[in-house]
């Protein structure tokens, strides 16, 4: 698919639009609304963490240590996920630790490799993911007309290295789906054919058929803004839901597909259509049935908080906001230039809606 249609990419935040700027200037985000939210125990905008979707003290310590050049904590976290075959958490951690900064020369990854050698499977995974992240960082999140020739060159040259690194990570940890999830983000930029994408998907589902992060990444591929269409994205989401057990969180996929294709032009009545309400209710039930330690539950709660607010179900929305407040690197907030501001906008609207009822 034409790269000119990129609006938001992995780990790159898109630029906000005038619609949200108008909302941000409106009464729902005024100082009075913020004070009401804070009086109920919610954190102010300035205290929202825009780098994570969920509180995870171990991950935060590992990221902080990595920023100081120390690799040991990250290595311990990744090794534990591999030994426990906790693939969902492994993908989450490799995404968080594999930032574009980690791929720079003389980073903490180089120190890790000097100590552990190039054949460490955890190091290989983070390096592959960091290379993908660096490529998208070099490109930037703007439209093609706003992207320089140098940015495109850096993007393509860097991303072209990712398939080899992902393949090496897969070779070193054969049961791990995470390298293939990383490959999906390379597939978007390198323009993999649908058949090649289906081959990647077979590798993932053979290892973890209900991997939430993998499904979210694959859904992006099938969206109209990438290599698919709204029909293909919706079909992918529905097929995943039909096969998934309760508690897998995959009932969020139809909501994501709807958001990706309808949110920009949607009116309030569109959000309140019976079939959209039914999708929200199905995702709520899935979250309620999910294991208490599922690492992706919070990401789904963020999405639910937004949809419930748009549907005028403010009490239910506030229940979700209470469970996620403080960490906002999640859909839909992460798509905006200032995710904390947009998050607080909708949270404060839910607070206001409850007060009015």
């Amino acid at each position: 698919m034409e790269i000119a249609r990129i609006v938001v990419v992995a780990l790159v935040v898109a630029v906000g639009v005038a619609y949200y700027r108008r909302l941000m200037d409106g009464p729902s985000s005024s100082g009075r609304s913020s004070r009401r939210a804070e009086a109920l125990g919610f954190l102010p905008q300035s205290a929202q963490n825009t780098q994570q979707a969920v509180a995870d003290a171990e991950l935060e310590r590992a990221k902080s240590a990595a920023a100081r050049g120390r690799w040991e904590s990250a290595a311990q976290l990744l090794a534990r996920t591999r030994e426990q075959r906790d693939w969902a958490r492994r993908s989450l951690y490799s995404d968080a630790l594999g930032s574009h900064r980690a791929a720079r020369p003389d980073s903490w990854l180089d120190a890790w490799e000097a100590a552990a050698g190039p054949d460490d499977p955890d190091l290989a995974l983070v390096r592959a993911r960091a290379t993908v992240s660096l490529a998208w960082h070099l490109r930037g999140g703007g439209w093609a007309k706003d992207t320089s020739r140098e940015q495109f060159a850096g993007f393509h040259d860097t991303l072209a290295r990712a398939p080899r690194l992902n393949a090496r990570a897969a070779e070193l940890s054969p049961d791990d789906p995470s390298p293939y999830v990383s490959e999906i983000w390379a597939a978007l930029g390198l323009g993999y054919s649908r058949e090649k994408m289906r081959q990647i998907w077979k590798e993932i589902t053979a290892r973890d058929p209900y991997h939430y992060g993998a499904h979210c990444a694959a859904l992006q591929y099938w969206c109209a803004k990438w290599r698919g269409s709204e029909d293909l994205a919706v079909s992918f989401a529905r097929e995943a839901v039909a096969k998934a057990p309760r508690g897998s969180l995959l009932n969020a996929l139809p909501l994501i597909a709807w958001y990706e294709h309808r949110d920009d032009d949607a009116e309030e009545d569109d959000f309140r259509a019976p079939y959209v309400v039914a999708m929200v209710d199905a995702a709520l039930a899935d979250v309620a049935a999910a294991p208490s330690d599922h690492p992706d539950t919070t990401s789904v709660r963020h999405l639910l908080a937004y949809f419930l607010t748009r549907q005028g179900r403010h009490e239910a929305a506030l229940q979700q906001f209470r469970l996620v407040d403080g960490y906002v690197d999640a859909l839909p907030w992460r798509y905006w230039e200032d995710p904390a501001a947009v998050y607080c906008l909708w949270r404060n609207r839910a607070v206001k809606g409850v007060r009015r009822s």
Side-chain angles (χ1 to χ4, degrees), residues 76 78-87 90 122:
Q76 291 170 6
L78 269 296
R80 188 171 70 213
T81 61
R82 175 170 44 82
E83 292 160 3
Q84 295 178 350
R85 302 175 65 84
D86 188 350
W87 304 134
R90 183 171 176 81
D122 308 315

Side-chain angles (χ1 to χ4, degrees), residues 293-311:
D293 62 346
H294 197 303
D296 296 305
T297 301
T298 303
S299 292
V300 180
R301 291 191 187 280
H302 278 283
L303 187 69
L304 286 168
Y306 172 73
F307 270 90
L308 288 164
T309 305
R310 296 299 300 260
Q311 290 175 349

